[in-house]
Amino acid sequence: MRINKSLLVILFFVLASLGCKSKSKPATTNSTIEKKWWKEVTVYQIYPRSFKDSDGDGVGDVKGIISKLDYIKSLGIDAVWLNPIYASPQKDNGYDISDYENIHPQFGTMADFDALLKGFKERGIKVMMDMVLNHCSSEHKWFKEASKSRESPYYNYFHWWPAEKGEPPYRWSIFDEKAYGWEFNKATNSYYLHYFADFQPDLNWENPALRQDIYKMMRMWLDKGVDGFRMDALAFISKDTTWPPLPKEYNGNWGLYYASGPRLHDYVQEMNREVLSKYDVATVAEAMGDVERVKKFVDEDRKELNMAYHFEAIDFGYLPGEYKMPDPKGYDFVKWKSIYAKWDSAFIDKGWGTIYLANHDQPRMLTRWGNDAPEFRDYSSKMLTTLILSMRATPYYYFGDEIGMSNIKFDRVEQYNDVELLTNYAQVKAKGGDLKRFLEGMKISSRDNGRTPMQWDTTLNAGFSNAKPWLPANANYTTVNVAVQDKDKSSVLNYFRKMQRLRKENEVLVYGKFNLVDPNNSDVFAYTRELNGKKLLVLLNFSKNIASVKTGIDISKAKVLINNYSAASNNGTLKPYEAIVFEL
Ligand code: TEU
């Protein structure tokens, strides 16, 4: 009895001291984080249209991906996310789905998909599919039926405003020239809601029949052996169907209002109960909003999803009031770093984060966050790769960045394909805005920059296709390509492989606590990672000049695990775009 009491006293003091530590230094506790496969993988994102064309129509396809499976394996990654390959009119490159249970003929057949899945499985690579659940295509049979009559069983699969009630309450639309989210449908004498383009009607999640159809479809893919989903615009699925006037505080930030639907988390929890909880899957949602909003998706106790992307760092540095116009004066690097630190601390005890610097909705990371001038291309590509693969979050790495692809920088609007750009161009034009300025900004920020064909080799069209590709290959493919870099030990590609190996071999890079160092340094991103007595120091120079860094850490005996120059600096200065990971 007495022994038990003293044990309790000791236990009390141990717990109390742990409690004190976690209060004084919240950024250093992550003991409760549970190990999961989806925290340990690096997800390589494949944009199928642009990856590899196998049948000579200028559009990438499933068989094209199959032909590159060994290349994908050679990267050392363990998971892929495929952008939508479902049947679709392709007006938003597959984010307008007309049949969730079939493959778009231009991409191949279901048999091709099964072969692809098998190929990935044989190589130990997990496969995540894109799920577009906020909206479908106006060519989907649900909408075709719904738009015939109010009596259709599918009418309530969508949101309608009956015209006899007058004009619907204003809703903003992202891909609409008039920025108007309702479209009139004559046959039903009602307006349907579309947060995106008018060919992307929003699905009515209020309707249990719709939800059950969606769950059934998700199960079909999981039963095939798919390992998870990236959920497009998921935060928008719930709407306040009393359709109040848009609250003033969201003026100019409709996205945040749309992400605040009253039953959003009820639906995600139901989806978890009915589908996700029955499989060992990875789930990641596009989640607009602040830390508190995003945390709701990924707090394990809430039983919703595993991961969510935030947009705070990726959308940073644009001028307010203009569409994705980078500030010519540059961006506040110290603030940008603090965003990463904030999002890391958001998931210290619960949830799990993601890290990405590019995807199909973004320009190339090299142009946006590095420096695509020939003398800096290699160094800054490797430096950005070091960042992505050394943070405490699941890395999402966009195809082509591993060879340092850069923005194509079109001069004329006719060269673009993207519905978003064309819509915004039309809006600027209608307002009599400065179109030249708009197009200059788009050279840095437009989505098509990230969608040009993968650069495989020096042959016609970068080895992507023997026909004219749907978007031209970047002219730099003669030097920036897989074939050339594969043979060069010091290439960007081989650096990616080395860095990925380092992450795989060092658990500290996955689970180790993150601590920002020299936070006010306006050139260098510096941080430590620490786990079970192992401590790493990561130094990344984001500037084209020599930069100094004050870490207060003795690196005289530190071991260099990786660096992007032939010899690492160890005197408190860093060469342009230098990246070093030290083991202390
Ligand atoms: O994007 C959702 C989204 O909110 C976009 O507005 C995104 O912020 C924008 O593309 C940034 O420029 C998803 C898909 O990722 C995107 O490709 C689709 O076009 C969109 O949904 C509609 O489905």
Side-chain angles (χ1 to χ4, degrees):
M1 207 48 189
R2 239 179 287 145
I3 295 174
N4 278 352
K5 253 191 193 163
S6 40
L7 267 181
L8 278 177
V9 171
I10 292 170
L11 196 65
F12 171 80
F13 278 112
V14 169
L15 287 178
S17 75
L18 282 177
C20 286
K21 263 193 202 140
S22 71
K23 253 181 222 154
S24 58
K25 273 190 170 181
T28 61
T29 49
N30 55 7
S31 51
T32 53
I33 293 289
E34 211 187 321
K35 291 186 182 174
K36 292 280 184 192
W37 67 262
W38 43 264
K39 295 178 182 173
E40 295 171 12
V41 296
T42 292
V43 184
Y44 181 70
Q45 181 190 347
I46 296 176
Y47 196 63
R49 287 185 82 76
S50 304
F51 198 63
K52 175 70 188 163
D53 173 22
S54 75
D55 58 1
D57 63 357
V59 175
D61 47 45
V62 173
K63 280 193 173 144
I65 305 174
I66 294 177
S67 71
K68 295 297 180 185
L69 280 169
D70 288 333
Y71 168 73
I72 298 167
K73 177 72 187 166
S74 84
L75 297 175
I77 55 91
D78 359 53
V80 292
W81 148 29
L82 302 175
N83 287 97
I85 50 173
Y86 317 98
S88 156
Q90 299 290 327
K91 290 188 188 167
D92 184 17
N93 295 352
Y95 285 92
D96 45 333
I97 299 173
S98 53
D99 182 354
Y100 288 88
E101 300 191 22
N102 270 305
I103 304 294
H104 182 57
Q106 221 174 7
F107 293 144
T109 62
M110 192 57 95
D112 296 336
F113 175 78
D114 291 340
L116 177 67
L117 193 60
K118 189 164 167 274
F120 275 125
K121 298 255 155 186
E122 282 164 1
R123 289 165 182 80
I125 296 173
K126 308 264 187 192
V127 178
M128 295 171 76
M129 301 285 281
D130 216 309
M131 271 288 139
V132 188
L133 303 178
N134 176 69
H135 49 271
C136 62
S137 159
S138 50
E139 296 298 308
H140 194 291
K141 77 163 191 272
W142 295 338
F143 190 76
K144 284 212 243 170
E145 289 304 315
S147 56
K148 282 182 193 157
S149 143
R150 290 191 191 181
E151 305 311 314
S152 160
Y154 293 109
Y155 187 72
N156 280 327
Y157 273 42
F158 299 90
H159 292 287
W160 297 95
W161 180 269
E164 61 271 21
K165 284 169 74 179
E167 280 275 305
Y170 178 71
R171 287 295 178 272
W172 180 72
S173 164
I174 299 173
F175 300 157
D176 187 83
E177 277 185 38
K178 302 176 294 303
Y180 189 58
W182 295 100
E183 188 69 21
F184 183 65
N185 174 251
K186 204 162 166 232
T188 58
N189 191 36
S190 46
Y191 298 82
Y192 65 87
L193 182 72
H194 60 91
Y195 280 178
F196 292 88
D198 58 2
F199 55 81
Q200 292 167 308
D202 280 39
L203 293 164
N204 179 8
W205 277 71
E206 300 297 310
N207 181 350
L210 173 273
R211 301 205 299 275
Q212 287 307 322
D213 274 354
I214 293 280
Y215 301 153
K216 194 166 135 247
M217 173 277 291
M218 291 173 82
R219 281 188 218 108
M220 177 218 119
W221 289 104
L222 293 171
D223 289 339
K224 260 185 184 295
V226 160
D227 302 286
F229 297 123
R230 174 266 184 191
M231 302 197 190
D232 184 67
L234 191 75
F236 292 173
I237 59 175
S238 163
K239 278 97 185 171
D240 182 346
T241 50
T242 64
W243 307 113
L246 284 168
K248 278 205 182 60
E249 67 264 33
Y250 290 106
N251 197 351
N253 198 352
W254 308 127
L256 206 53
Y257 174 70
Y258 288 176
S260 313
R263 296 190 60 201
L264 169 61
H265 294 284
D266 296 341
Y267 298 145
V268 184
Q269 282 169 6
E270 183 184 79
M271 181 199 291
N272 182 295
R273 270 195 314 277
E274 301 236 355
V275 186
L276 306 174
S277 61
K278 314 229 186 299
Y279 305 82
D280 179 19
V281 286
T283 47
V284 59
E286 272 197 310
M288 294 72 189
D290 50 24
V291 167
E292 288 320 309
R293 270 170 224 259
V294 174
K295 268 173 93 166
K296 283 193 173 162
F297 285 104
V298 298
D299 173 345
E300 299 83 355
D301 299 340
R302 295 173 54 86
K303 301 203 177 352
E304 297 192 15
L305 307 175
N306 304 144
M307 295 169 271
Y309 305 107
H310 68 82
F311 287 76
E312 201 178 345
I314 204 87
D315 282 344
F316 194 73
Y318 291 134
L319 289 172
E322 273 181 280
Y323 178 70
K324 283 194 188 171
M325 175 61 73
D327 189 334
K329 294 200 288 294
Y331 63 100
D332 181 345
F333 182 64
V334 169
K335 177 87 201 299
W336 192 66
K337 290 190 295 182
S338 75
I339 295 173
Y340 286 97
K342 177 176 84 182
W343 282 93
D344 178 81
S345 59
F347 305 122
I348 281 191
D349 297 315
K350 280 181 168 186
W352 187 251
T354 58
I355 166 99
Y356 68 106
L357 290 178
N359 61 35
H360 66 291
D361 288 339
Q362 300 297 331
R364 284 286 166 190
M365 72 171 185
L366 173 64
T367 306
R368 172 99 156 97
W369 303 110
N371 189 328
D372 60 11
E375 66 273 36
F376 298 126
R377 165 185 300 277
D378 280 25
Y379 294 121
S380 63
S381 285
K382 291 171 182 173
M383 187 273 291
L384 295 173
T385 290
T386 315
L387 170 70
I388 299 176
L389 298 180
S390 67
M391 296 287 273
R392 195 182 70 90
T394 296
Y396 285 77
Y397 197 94
Y398 192 50
F399 87 95
D401 285 345
E402 76 274 22
I403 55 169
M405 282 173 64
S406 51
N407 280 9
I408 191 160
K409 303 183 185 170
F410 290 136
D411 288 310
R412 290 172 296 112
V413 67
E414 297 76 30
Q415 293 172 292
Y416 284 98
N417 167 283
D418 180 17
V419 59
E420 183 182 47
L421 180 132
L422 299 175
T423 308
N424 284 295
Y425 182 86
Q427 285 176 355
V428 176
K429 194 171 174 186
K431 283 187 207 137
D434 186 342
L435 290 168
K436 214 170 146 224
R437 181 180 162 85
F438 172 81
L439 287 175
E440 276 311 299
M442 289 300 102
K443 288 183 181 177
I444 303 299
S445 62
S446 95
R447 310 201 293 183
D448 277 345
N449 282 305
R451 298 177 178 184
T452 60
M454 177 65 172
Q455 296 167 202
W456 293 106
D457 55 40
T458 55
T459 64
L460 181 71
N461 302 321
F464 163 73
S465 172
N466 46 31
K468 186 173 177 244
W470 73 278
L471 272 185
N474 191 314
N476 66 23
Y477 76 82
T478 49
T479 49
V480 179
N481 66 63
V482 172
V484 166
Q485 294 193 21
D486 201 35
K487 288 189 238 112
D488 173 3
K489 262 169 76 185
S490 64
S491 66
V492 174
L493 174 60
N494 282 316
Y495 184 91
F496 173 86
R497 288 173 171 145
K498 193 173 169 198
M499 187 61 212
Q500 174 55 20
R501 260 198 315 276
L502 199 70
R503 187 171 176 94
K504 286 257 78 150
E505 288 163 6
N506 288 277
E507 213 181 22
V508 58
L509 283 173
V510 177
Y511 293 109
K513 74 192 174 202
F514 167 94
N515 220 349
L516 196 58
V517 174
D518 199 4
N520 294 323
N521 193 315
S522 53
D523 296 317
V524 179
F525 203 157
Y527 45 93
T528 55
R529 303 293 313 276
E530 200 171 351
L531 185 76
N532 301 331
K534 193 165 185 169
K535 189 166 178 180
L536 308 185
L537 171 68
V538 182
L539 300 180
L540 308 168
N541 182 5
F542 269 72
S543 123
K544 62 179 179 198
N545 303 311
I546 292 179
S548 61
V549 56
K550 287 194 190 73
T551 62
I553 297 170
D554 177 16
I555 52 165
S556 59
K557 291 195 192 73
K559 182 173 156 198
V560 175
L561 296 183
I562 193 166
N563 93 294
N564 62 350
Y565 275 81
S566 47
S569 310
N570 60 358
N571 58 355
T573 65
L574 292 170
K575 295 185 269 293
Y577 300 106
E578 184 163 13
I580 318 174
V581 180
F582 288 108
E583 182 173 348
L584 300 171

